[in-house]
């Protein structure tokens, strides 16, 4: 039992900021590389990290369309949590990371999928924000808070990001 | 011993944003519904979630009065952490959640109290922000960081929100 | 084994906001005072908390110089996460805390060091932000995410702040 808990980690990824998203995937891929079963539970703004970059034609209410327009669509469009200055900060950070050969968020997401990190989109948040499965990247699980809590309960490391 | 830890969860609710407050109460009520003893420890901006909506006449210093005026008073007044646009974002989110029959923060707080979630107001933060017990909703505990740590120590799930 | 875990706590200090920095050091010193081995892992904006206040002459690229200039240098310069109003909010908070005899962030950092809290600067974040060891306060450890995860794995309380 104790052994089992040692080998699991969960994260609630609430934030949709580039810097926090990077932090969460760096921790997640690091833990997965060390042999842990990692679950990332994406809620609220965190769902934006998982949005496909290309436009997906789905029927939506006016309000849902507005939300979708206003929120960043996928890893390339995210801002940073401080000093973003309308996207300039995010650009500077990406520029400097590239120069220093640090992996991009997109590459981190692919690494996470290769390492079998369980990526779960919160269905209640999808409902609130009017985001459909078609608009999110492939390979996700879909579940609610009870599923998150079941995983968290068996995890040694639980974070809210 | 291990059994005992399994059954407890704690959260530090530092944020006073509507979206993060909702996330914390959704997790808290979910965990409580699954039979866990949940402790929510409200510090700094998180105290605003617990403020009574009506004005309470208490004697305060000029600075404390100013703080109290500037900070949101209760669940109906909270902004959201992103795209708030002076309260418009919060209104949009509440509108869309109502349309989709999702429980409000106020209802979640009541549910948490019904489920015996232990809600603790951080006394040091109350001191800093000049908030008195009379200004907070009923049914709270009052304690400091040592009390939080004692609960956290016996908990399986510990989050900082 | 179980006993060992009980006695450790870790925190990822991602935020460089005065209020969140204070919260993290209040929890860290509280836990250390209770006899726990506490590790604080400073990443991204959290590194600003550890910057020396005086100017340190190190050779940097133009981009790194710009980052360094734009980011707050040490505990006295940090803003607060809400209602900062270009630093006014942080000043108000510090003024009111002083009036109420609450320890300052600087004092909390010293307390943490006296209590042997292990303070680790994330080397990858230092690289991204172009911050060198010479620019950070003395007595720090330097490590990456694998080191953090090893500590987290043995900890009862894990927080992301």
């Amino acid at each position: 039992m104790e052994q089992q808990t040692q080998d699991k980690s969960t994260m609630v990824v609430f934030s949709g900021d580039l810097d926090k998203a990077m932090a969460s995937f760096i921790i997640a891929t690091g833990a997965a590389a060390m042999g842990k079963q990692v679950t990332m539970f994406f809620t609220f703004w965190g769902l934006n990290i998982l949005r496909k970059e290309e436009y997906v034609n789905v029927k939506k209410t006016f309000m849902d369309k507005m939300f979708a327009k206003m929120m960043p669509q996928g890893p390339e469009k995210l801002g940073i949590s401080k000093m973003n200055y309308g996207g300039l900060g995010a650009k500077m950070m990406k520029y400097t990371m590239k120069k220093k050969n640090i992996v991009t968020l997109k590459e981190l997401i692919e690494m996470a999928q290769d390492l079998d990190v369980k990526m779960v989109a919160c269905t209640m948040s999808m409902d609130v924000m009017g985001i459909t499965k078609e608009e999110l990247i492939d390979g996700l699980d879909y579940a609610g808070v009870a599923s998150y809590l079941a995983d968290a309960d068996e995890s040694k490391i639980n974070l809210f990001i």
Side-chain angles (χ1 to χ4, degrees), chain A residues 21-36 38 40 42 49-50 75 101-119 137-139:
Chain A
M22 291 217 49
S24 63
F25 275 98
I26 289 167
I27 296 172
T29 52
M34 285 165 72
K36 292 193 175 291
V38 182
M40 301 175 88
F42 295 84
I49 304 168
L50 305 178
N101 289 315
I102 291 165
V103 287
T104 65
L105 178 54
K106 240 181 140 170
E107 289 165 336
L108 282 167
I109 295 173
E110 283 166 19
M111 276 172 62
Q113 292 191 312
D114 287 347
L115 288 161
D116 290 322
V117 169
K118 186 171 146 194
M119 289 163 63
I137 58 170
D138 295 331

